[in-house]
Amino acid sequence: MAVKNAVYRRVYVWEFPVRLYHWVNAICVALLIVTGYLIGKPIAIEYGNEAYQQYWFGTVRFIHFVSAFIFFFNFLVRIYWGFVGNTYARWQNFIPWKKSQWHEIKEILKVDILQRDVGERISIGHNSLAGLVYFLTFLVFLFQAFTGFALYSSMSSSFFPQLFSWVVPFMGGDFAVRQWHHMFMWFFIVFAIIHVYLVFYHDYVEGRGTTSSMVGGWKFEREEDL
Amino acid sequence: MSKTPSFREQIERSGVSRRDFLRFCSYAAALIGLDAAGIPKVVQAFEKKPRPPAIWLHFQECTCCSESFIRSSHPIVADIILNQISLDYTQTLQAPAGEAAEKSKTDTMKNYYGKYVLLVEGAVPMKDDGVYCTIGGRSAIDILKEAAEGAALIIAWGSCASNGCIQAANPNPTKATPVHEILDKPVINVPGCPPIADVMSAVITHFLVFGRLPELDGQGRPKEFYSRRVHDTCYRRPYYDAGLFVESFDDEKARKGYCLYKMGCRGPVTYNACAVTKWNAGTSYPIQSGHGCLGCSENNFWDNGPFYRHLASFPGFGIETTADTIGTVVGVGALAGVAAHAITTNIRKRKLINKHIEESANNEKNKGEGE
């Protein structure tokens, strides 16, 4: 027999709160990008209506604000789960504080960029490179939340957005805040492209069910690696 | 030193009737947000309180703040600067010149130490020991610091004094600096290029009536006038919510008076009272005349160009490049990279994939044998 047969066991990697967080987050980010882009660059529609007969731009902004609130609190839940969830959900996965994590980052870079074959065993949860990138993404989440709520604070008298009003003088005015908030929208677009592709790619070269794991929670590991 | 006359004595001397005086007081009360019950307070303040002496300093500026001020909508409001406060020193309006003028300033600073009002118009150049703005042989920094020491109240008039305005625009050759960054005393910022005349007089009225600073926001601006965005008080706001925008200054939509958001209007990022008090006795304000707001009361508004586009140009990439241009290039680049990666994966990993397939086929075969 030319090829050694490997026996795979299934491992419950992503618990329900992690999966729920992921898809709520995905939907929110998609809505925020589409509505955010429209707010920055409204499309020109020709109509004979008077202003009181329509409210589409107001609706677009409303969807943006509602998604933003869900996005932010969903993210807080995920941070909480990083302290109480299973070993794959823990915060330690996101910060490379061990030598072995840096080693894996180098290995993954070889697999992803130089397209080497997968040599060593890759972590079954987030691989170390993915973890680090998600950590940077979380920082961008916070940046977008802070700048977004800061812009929103002048339109709202409620308690929560007012917590962020200090960001505006800190960054030198609404114009600067809006500019940065807009710029980082592109981070999410580029992230989504690369993220989705790399999930498919790793599924393809690892053959461990990476794509479906975010739906069912299961990944597969060679018996000898367990 | 003779007793300083009150404002009422002053205006009665200049032939203003009691009726006009009361009318002015109710106007002033309304401006600073008092209801009818507050009018007597204003009347009392102007009748009884002595007029505080004021020193008005001019540094790096164009005098548009002074010009705006003397065009206050109410005829008596215009007199505030000349009557209500006793303007002891201001380069552009005072009669004396040279040493006589400087003497009146030093006299006021000495005789009314801790009591006078300091009004500053213009930014202060800090580079090269402040040589870029000198008056009477002394630098603006020196003059400002000396005058600020005994001041009861310091007001920074206009964007130059509040945030540097055009002098501080990139590359800021003289290191023009706003007043509040130089002094360690509280400063009221009244930004705008120029600020609205009625807002200027209302800030002084507030001090005269209550004897203390008005409530200020995080950037030192009176909340009464700078807590709301021009956008939120704009009469064209309904067009914004309805998604009806001017696409070009000469189109049908511009004629209909739609929202100027896409023409680069800075209303949504500008905090000022323009849409409420308006200008020139409530006649109009920029957006009403069909031109977007330039955001002249905001920090760095000169550097946030171009004025006629919603997004600023991306630093370092030329004037026509916005964040969206860069983003599109990077996004398309990512898509192309991903596509190229997918293709090379199938070429370079053919062996690996074949191995996986073979492994899977073996499993099937073993399963068959086992049965």
Short mmCIF file of all heavy atoms in Angstrom, two decimals, chain A residues 137-166:
data_model
loop_
_atom_site.label_atom_id
_atom_site.label_comp_id
_atom_site.label_asym_id
_atom_site.label_seq_id
_atom_site.Cartn_x
_atom_site.Cartn_y
_atom_site.Cartn_z
N THR A 137 -7.54 42.25 14.34
CA THR A 137 -8.90 42.59 13.90
C THR A 137 -9.74 43.10 15.06
O THR A 137 -10.50 44.05 14.91
CB THR A 137 -9.55 41.35 13.27
OG1 THR A 137 -8.65 40.82 12.32
CG2 THR A 137 -10.85 41.70 12.60
N PHE A 138 -9.58 42.46 16.23
CA PHE A 138 -10.33 42.92 17.40
C PHE A 138 -9.97 44.37 17.73
O PHE A 138 -10.83 45.15 18.13
CB PHE A 138 -10.03 42.03 18.62
CG PHE A 138 -10.56 40.63 18.49
CD1 PHE A 138 -10.06 39.61 19.28
CD2 PHE A 138 -11.56 40.32 17.58
CE1 PHE A 138 -10.55 38.31 19.17
CE2 PHE A 138 -12.06 39.03 17.46
CZ PHE A 138 -11.54 38.02 18.26
N LEU A 139 -8.68 44.70 17.58
CA LEU A 139 -8.28 46.09 17.84
C LEU A 139 -8.99 47.03 16.87
O LEU A 139 -9.43 48.12 17.25
CB LEU A 139 -6.76 46.25 17.73
CG LEU A 139 -5.93 45.46 18.73
CD1 LEU A 139 -4.45 45.75 18.52
CD2 LEU A 139 -6.32 45.82 20.16
N VAL A 140 -9.11 46.61 15.61
CA VAL A 140 -9.81 47.44 14.63
C VAL A 140 -11.30 47.51 14.99
O VAL A 140 -11.93 48.56 14.86
CB VAL A 140 -9.62 46.89 13.20
CG1 VAL A 140 -10.38 47.74 12.19
CG2 VAL A 140 -8.14 46.87 12.85
N PHE A 141 -11.86 46.41 15.48
CA PHE A 141 -13.27 46.42 15.95
C PHE A 141 -13.43 47.55 16.97
O PHE A 141 -14.36 48.34 16.90
CB PHE A 141 -13.63 45.12 16.66
CG PHE A 141 -13.89 43.94 15.76
CD1 PHE A 141 -13.66 44.02 14.40
CD2 PHE A 141 -14.39 42.76 16.29
CE1 PHE A 141 -13.90 42.93 13.57
CE2 PHE A 141 -14.64 41.67 15.47
CZ PHE A 141 -14.39 41.75 14.13
N LEU A 142 -12.51 47.57 17.94
CA LEU A 142 -12.61 48.57 19.00
C LEU A 142 -12.48 49.97 18.43
O LEU A 142 -13.21 50.88 18.79
CB LEU A 142 -11.52 48.33 20.05
CG LEU A 142 -11.76 47.16 21.00
CD1 LEU A 142 -10.61 47.01 21.96
CD2 LEU A 142 -13.07 47.35 21.77
N PHE A 143 -11.52 50.13 17.50
CA PHE A 143 -11.31 51.45 16.90
C PHE A 143 -12.58 51.90 16.19
O PHE A 143 -13.03 53.05 16.35
CB PHE A 143 -10.14 51.39 15.92
CG PHE A 143 -9.84 52.71 15.27
CD1 PHE A 143 -9.08 53.65 15.94
CD2 PHE A 143 -10.33 53.01 14.02
CE1 PHE A 143 -8.82 54.88 15.37
CE2 PHE A 143 -10.08 54.24 13.44
CZ PHE A 143 -9.32 55.17 14.11
N GLN A 144 -13.19 51.00 15.41
CA GLN A 144 -14.40 51.36 14.68
C GLN A 144 -15.54 51.66 15.64
O GLN A 144 -16.33 52.59 15.42
CB GLN A 144 -14.83 50.23 13.73
CG GLN A 144 -13.97 50.09 12.49
CD GLN A 144 -13.96 51.32 11.61
OE1 GLN A 144 -13.31 52.31 11.94
NE2 GLN A 144 -14.62 51.27 10.48
N ALA A 145 -15.62 50.89 16.72
CA ALA A 145 -16.69 51.12 17.70
C ALA A 145 -16.49 52.48 18.37
O ALA A 145 -17.44 53.26 18.49
CB ALA A 145 -16.69 50.01 18.74
N PHE A 146 -15.27 52.79 18.75
CA PHE A 146 -15.01 54.05 19.44
C PHE A 146 -15.27 55.24 18.52
O PHE A 146 -15.92 56.20 18.91
CB PHE A 146 -13.57 54.10 19.97
CG PHE A 146 -13.41 53.47 21.32
CD1 PHE A 146 -13.69 52.13 21.50
CD2 PHE A 146 -13.02 54.22 22.42
CE1 PHE A 146 -13.56 51.53 22.74
CE2 PHE A 146 -12.90 53.63 23.68
CZ PHE A 146 -13.17 52.29 23.83
N THR A 147 -14.74 55.19 17.29
CA THR A 147 -14.94 56.32 16.39
C THR A 147 -16.41 56.39 15.96
O THR A 147 -16.98 57.49 15.86
CB THR A 147 -14.05 56.20 15.14
OG1 THR A 147 -14.21 54.91 14.57
CG2 THR A 147 -12.59 56.41 15.48
N GLY A 148 -17.02 55.25 15.74
CA GLY A 148 -18.42 55.23 15.30
C GLY A 148 -19.35 55.81 16.36
O GLY A 148 -20.16 56.69 16.08
N PHE A 149 -19.21 55.33 17.59
CA PHE A 149 -20.07 55.85 18.65
C PHE A 149 -19.76 57.31 18.94
O PHE A 149 -20.63 58.08 19.34
CB PHE A 149 -19.95 55.01 19.92
CG PHE A 149 -20.70 53.70 19.83
CD1 PHE A 149 -20.05 52.49 20.00
CD2 PHE A 149 -22.06 53.69 19.57
CE1 PHE A 149 -20.74 51.30 19.91
CE2 PHE A 149 -22.76 52.49 19.48
CZ PHE A 149 -22.09 51.29 19.65
N ALA A 150 -18.50 57.71 18.74
CA ALA A 150 -18.15 59.12 18.95
C ALA A 150 -18.89 60.00 17.95
O ALA A 150 -19.44 61.04 18.30
CB ALA A 150 -16.65 59.31 18.80
N LEU A 151 -18.95 59.56 16.69
CA LEU A 151 -19.70 60.32 15.68
C LEU A 151 -21.19 60.32 16.02
O LEU A 151 -21.89 61.31 15.82
CB LEU A 151 -19.50 59.70 14.30
CG LEU A 151 -18.13 59.91 13.65
CD1 LEU A 151 -18.02 59.08 12.39
CD2 LEU A 151 -17.92 61.38 13.32
N TYR A 152 -21.64 59.19 16.56
CA TYR A 152 -23.06 59.05 16.86
C TYR A 152 -23.45 59.88 18.08
O TYR A 152 -24.60 60.28 18.21
CB TYR A 152 -23.36 57.57 17.10
CG TYR A 152 -24.82 57.24 17.30
CD1 TYR A 152 -25.71 57.34 16.25
CD2 TYR A 152 -25.30 56.83 18.53
CE1 TYR A 152 -27.05 57.05 16.42
CE2 TYR A 152 -26.63 56.53 18.72
CZ TYR A 152 -27.51 56.63 17.66
OH TYR A 152 -28.83 56.34 17.85
N SER A 153 -22.47 60.15 18.96
CA SER A 153 -22.80 60.78 20.24
C SER A 153 -23.44 62.16 20.07
O SER A 153 -24.23 62.57 20.90
CB SER A 153 -21.55 60.90 21.11
OG SER A 153 -20.64 61.79 20.53
N SER A 154 -23.11 62.86 18.97
CA SER A 154 -23.70 64.19 18.81
C SER A 154 -25.14 64.12 18.33
O SER A 154 -25.85 65.11 18.33
CB SER A 154 -22.87 65.02 17.83
OG SER A 154 -22.91 64.44 16.56
N MET A 155 -25.60 62.93 17.91
CA MET A 155 -26.99 62.81 17.44
C MET A 155 -27.85 62.17 18.50
O MET A 155 -29.04 61.97 18.30
CB MET A 155 -27.05 61.89 16.22
CG MET A 155 -26.14 62.24 15.11
SD MET A 155 -26.20 60.88 13.92
CE MET A 155 -24.53 60.95 13.33
N SER A 156 -27.24 61.77 19.60
CA SER A 156 -28.00 61.02 20.59
C SER A 156 -27.80 61.62 21.96
O SER A 156 -26.71 62.05 22.30
CB SER A 156 -27.54 59.57 20.58
OG SER A 156 -27.99 58.92 21.74
N SER A 157 -28.87 61.62 22.75
CA SER A 157 -28.71 62.12 24.11
C SER A 157 -28.66 60.96 25.08
O SER A 157 -28.59 61.17 26.28
CB SER A 157 -29.88 63.05 24.44
OG SER A 157 -31.09 62.39 24.17
N SER A 158 -28.71 59.72 24.56
CA SER A 158 -28.73 58.59 25.48
C SER A 158 -27.35 58.35 26.09
O SER A 158 -26.34 58.81 25.58
CB SER A 158 -29.26 57.33 24.80
OG SER A 158 -28.44 57.00 23.73
N PHE A 159 -27.34 57.60 27.17
CA PHE A 159 -26.19 57.44 28.01
C PHE A 159 -25.02 56.77 27.29
O PHE A 159 -23.88 57.26 27.34
CB PHE A 159 -26.62 56.64 29.25
CG PHE A 159 -25.54 55.85 29.90
CD1 PHE A 159 -24.62 56.48 30.72
CD2 PHE A 159 -25.44 54.48 29.70
CE1 PHE A 159 -23.62 55.76 31.33
CE2 PHE A 159 -24.43 53.75 30.30
CZ PHE A 159 -23.52 54.39 31.12
N PHE A 160 -25.28 55.69 26.58
CA PHE A 160 -24.17 54.89 26.07
C PHE A 160 -23.27 55.61 25.06
O PHE A 160 -22.05 55.66 25.26
CB PHE A 160 -24.70 53.57 25.49
CG PHE A 160 -23.62 52.67 25.01
CD1 PHE A 160 -22.80 52.01 25.90
CD2 PHE A 160 -23.38 52.53 23.64
CE1 PHE A 160 -21.77 51.20 25.46
CE2 PHE A 160 -22.35 51.73 23.20
CZ PHE A 160 -21.55 51.06 24.10
N PRO A 161 -23.83 56.21 23.99
CA PRO A 161 -22.92 56.89 23.03
C PRO A 161 -22.15 58.04 23.67
O PRO A 161 -21.04 58.35 23.23
CB PRO A 161 -23.86 57.40 21.94
CG PRO A 161 -25.13 56.66 22.11
CD PRO A 161 -25.22 56.29 23.54
N GLN A 162 -22.74 58.65 24.72
CA GLN A 162 -22.04 59.77 25.36
C GLN A 162 -20.72 59.34 25.98
O GLN A 162 -19.83 60.16 26.18
CB GLN A 162 -22.93 60.41 26.43
CG GLN A 162 -24.19 61.08 25.89
CD GLN A 162 -23.90 62.07 24.78
OE1 GLN A 162 -22.92 62.80 24.85
NE2 GLN A 162 -24.73 62.08 23.75
N LEU A 163 -20.61 58.04 26.29
CA LEU A 163 -19.35 57.55 26.86
C LEU A 163 -18.20 57.73 25.88
O LEU A 163 -17.04 57.70 26.27
CB LEU A 163 -19.49 56.05 27.19
CG LEU A 163 -20.51 55.66 28.24
CD1 LEU A 163 -20.56 54.15 28.38
CD2 LEU A 163 -20.14 56.28 29.58
N PHE A 164 -18.51 57.90 24.60
CA PHE A 164 -17.46 57.97 23.59
C PHE A 164 -17.24 59.38 23.06
O PHE A 164 -16.44 59.58 22.14
CB PHE A 164 -17.80 57.05 22.42
CG PHE A 164 -17.94 55.61 22.82
CD1 PHE A 164 -19.15 55.10 23.23
CD2 PHE A 164 -16.83 54.77 22.79
CE1 PHE A 164 -19.28 53.78 23.61
CE2 PHE A 164 -16.95 53.44 23.17
CZ PHE A 164 -18.17 52.94 23.58
N SER A 165 -17.95 60.37 23.63
CA SER A 165 -17.87 61.72 23.04
C SER A 165 -16.47 62.32 23.18
O SER A 165 -16.09 63.19 22.40
CB SER A 165 -18.92 62.63 23.67
OG SER A 165 -18.75 62.65 25.06
N TRP A 166 -15.67 61.85 24.14
CA TRP A 166 -14.32 62.39 24.32
C TRP A 166 -13.42 62.09 23.13
O TRP A 166 -12.40 62.76 22.93
CB TRP A 166 -13.69 61.80 25.59
CG TRP A 166 -13.59 60.31 25.57
CD1 TRP A 166 -14.52 59.42 26.01
CD2 TRP A 166 -12.52 59.51 25.03
NE1 TRP A 166 -14.11 58.13 25.80
CE2 TRP A 166 -12.88 58.16 25.21
CE3 TRP A 166 -11.29 59.81 24.44
CZ2 TRP A 166 -12.07 57.11 24.79
CZ3 TRP A 166 -10.48 58.76 24.03
CH2 TRP A 166 -10.87 57.43 24.20
#
